[in-house]
Amino acid sequence: MKPAYDGNQWTVDARGYSIRNGYEWVRPKQAKYDWCKIVCSKWNYPKHALISWIVMNNGVMIKERLFQFNCCTDDRCWICDSDTKTQSHLFYDCQYSKQVLRLTEQWCGFRIFVSSSNSRTGSSAGAGLKQTVHNLIWTAYYYYIWNQRINFQLLKPGSVADKIKEDVRRKIRRKLDKTCTRADNTWLQKWGVAIE
């Protein structure tokens, strides 16, 4: 606390010291995460939101951790067999995951930014409905890549991208009402989703 005083005066707040502002001064400041709003969106499937939350909090049990506890014989990624299977590798560096993301981006027509920094997310989607669709794709991506990690039979990247697309289409059909703008409706028709 000593650096917060100058000549016996509490310098942080002109009104003087209080327990509250003393606590605020000493506690570590954490960055606000952009992903919280995406994960907690009412549009998301609960299972997608849960897995995305776990990923963003670095809590996915992956082969690297199991290897440390002698639960498996190696720590290689069983999807691509090219690197140690860390959470960062699985979601951001694995060629399989990159291909799924690339196929999904080709379908939706904008860039999906996934980042191992856990602090920033983004897209070139813009705002409104397109941003909502970006968020749906973002959480579905984490869910289906995680799901492939636990599957005994690995699906082709195109099949995983198709699952993401179908989940997004289904959610839009359920949630979007007829007040959709003409531009959004035209955009959705390209995806095979028409709001009548």
Side-chain angles (χ1 to χ4, degrees):
M1 298 292 281
K2 192 173 180 180
Y5 283 89
D6 183 30
N8 253 355
Q9 295 293 315
W10 173 248
T11 57
V12 178
D13 189 339
R15 294 172 293 185
Y17 177 79
S18 72
I19 292 174
R20 180 179 179 168
N21 62 33
Y23 170 74
E24 287 295 323
W25 186 79
V26 297
R27 79 183 178 106
K29 302 291 186 281
Q30 295 180 346
K32 290 185 178 178
Y33 294 144
D34 294 345
W35 55 263
C36 290
K37 287 182 183 175
I38 297 175
V39 170
C40 297
S41 169
K42 64 182 179 181
W43 280 73
N44 283 333
Y45 290 95
K47 62 184 181 180
H48 295 183
L50 175 65
I51 297 305
S52 300
W53 184 270
I54 292 170
V55 170
M56 291 295 101
N57 284 291
N58 204 21
V60 175
M61 285 304 287
I62 36 83
K63 214 171 176 185
E64 177 196 36
R65 290 186 188 165
L66 296 173
F67 181 69
Q68 290 172 354
F69 296 115
N70 294 323
C71 294
C72 56
T73 55
D74 64 64
D75 61 351
R76 308 288 292 168
C77 176
W78 74 271
I79 295 175
C80 68
D81 197 37
S82 67
D83 203 352
T84 299
K85 188 172 183 178
T86 62
Q87 182 172 301
S88 180
H89 171 78
L90 177 64
F91 293 107
Y92 313 112
D93 301 326
C94 183
Q95 290 306 311
Y96 179 87
S97 303
K98 285 181 178 180
Q99 194 171 357
V100 169
L101 194 61
R102 191 167 44 249
L103 289 168
T104 307
E105 288 174 339
Q106 287 171 2
W107 169 72
C108 70
F110 50 79
R111 185 109 192 271
I112 310 290
F113 296 103
V114 291
S115 168
S116 58
S117 70
N118 291 10
S119 60
R120 301 262 337 141
T121 63
S123 77
S124 57
L129 179 62
K130 288 184 180 181
Q131 185 61 49
T132 300
V133 169
H134 165 270
N135 297 350
L136 281 168
I137 293 171
W138 192 84
T139 55
Y141 166 79
Y142 284 114
Y143 174 76
Y144 281 108
I145 295 299
W146 170 83
N147 196 275
Q148 289 310 296
R149 177 190 70 88
I150 61 171
N151 275 351
F152 291 109
Q153 187 172 2
L154 188 68
L155 296 175
K156 291 182 179 178
S159 299
V160 177
D162 288 342
K163 286 178 174 288
I164 293 171
K165 295 173 198 175
E166 190 49 45
D167 278 1
V168 170
R169 285 189 187 117
R170 192 179 310 120
K171 185 59 80 166
I172 289 170
R173 283 191 198 108
R174 280 191 204 151
K175 288 287 234 179
L176 205 59
D177 59 17
K178 296 178 183 179
T179 61
C180 180
T181 67
R182 181 173 288 174
D184 283 343
N185 204 3
T186 304
W187 180 65
L188 290 172
Q189 283 173 354
K190 291 178 188 175
W191 291 13
V193 181
I195 309 301
E196 302 176 7

